[in-house]
Amino acid sequence: MKRCPTCNQEFTDEWLTFCTQDGTSLIEVQTSPYEPPPTIPYPAMPPSVSPSEQPTLDLPDVYKPPQAQISAQQPLQPGWQPPPPPAYSTSPQQSLAIASLVLGVVTVTVGWCCYFGVLTGPVAVGLGIYALAQIKKNPTRYGGKGLAIGGIVSGGLFFVFMALLLLIYGLSFLASGLR
């Protein structure tokens, strides 16, 4: 048990270290098991005064609240309705444009092997053109204009380089045949 040296209030909580009334450090008190706990005298309660005997201030121009008026009851809402689900923003569909770009890159990088680019190049160009047409019709639903253009350009570059190679080989074949 602990006691406040200032106000002599005793506390049974072991975790308390300061008085809750005045903040003074508590001191340890040894209590004997035969001694009853001390009683704390409460201040005397003032005699109750009836409301008619209480003083009032009758000043001129004192605010007096208006009388409560009962109005017609508002009609109740018909049952509780849950709020609508949140609006999720959907990103534009870019699948054709991405496929065009991937095939175009495959055409330029791997397409030289066994003329694999002859198959993937036209598909990349076709998918890119079709994706651009969809983007032009409905730009809010379809996206990826840059990806589609990249697929068209990379697929077309394969054919340009292939035409240059055929031209160089053809000219060299003709030049060797003239000798």
Side-chain angles (χ1 to χ4, degrees):
M1 183 166 313
K2 296 182 180 181
R3 181 178 62 85
C4 175
T6 307
C7 65
N8 291 328
Q9 185 175 1
E10 292 187 357
F11 299 96
T12 57
D13 298 330
E14 292 298 321
W15 57 270
L16 270 176
T17 56
F18 295 99
C19 178
T20 58
Q21 301 297 322
D22 54 21
T24 307
S25 295
L26 299 178
I27 56 173
E28 291 286 332
V29 176
Q30 299 296 331
T31 59
S32 66
Y34 304 109
E35 183 180 322
T39 58
I40 300 173
Y42 287 103
M45 298 295 286
S48 64
V49 179
S50 67
S52 62
E53 295 174 359
Q54 288 196 5
T56 59
L57 295 174
D58 292 331
L59 298 175
D61 298 329
V62 174
Y63 172 75
K64 293 178 184 170
Q67 296 292 328
Q69 298 177 357
I70 299 174
S71 62
Q73 189 174 4
Q74 297 286 333
L76 294 176
Q77 297 267 343
W80 179 81
Q81 300 221 350
Y88 295 109
S89 64
T90 57
S91 61
Q93 185 179 3
Q94 301 178 357
S95 56
L96 288 176
I98 290 172
S100 171
L101 181 65
V102 167
L103 285 175
V105 169
V106 166
T107 300
V108 171
T109 56
V110 185
W112 300 106
C113 176
C114 302
Y115 291 107
F116 182 64
V118 175
L119 299 175
T120 57
V123 175
V125 172
L127 282 177
I129 291 171
Y130 187 67
L132 284 177
Q134 283 185 335
I135 293 168
K136 187 174 182 180
K137 283 183 191 174
N138 193 353
T140 58
R141 184 170 177 200
Y142 298 105
K145 185 176 182 179
L147 300 173
I149 292 173
I152 293 169
V153 168
S154 59
L157 279 177
F158 174 78
F159 287 111
V160 169
F161 287 133
M162 184 62 77
L164 285 174
L165 279 175
L166 287 176
L167 184 66
I168 291 172
Y169 283 135
L171 290 177
S172 67
F173 182 72
L174 286 176
S176 67
L178 294 176
R179 284 193 203 168

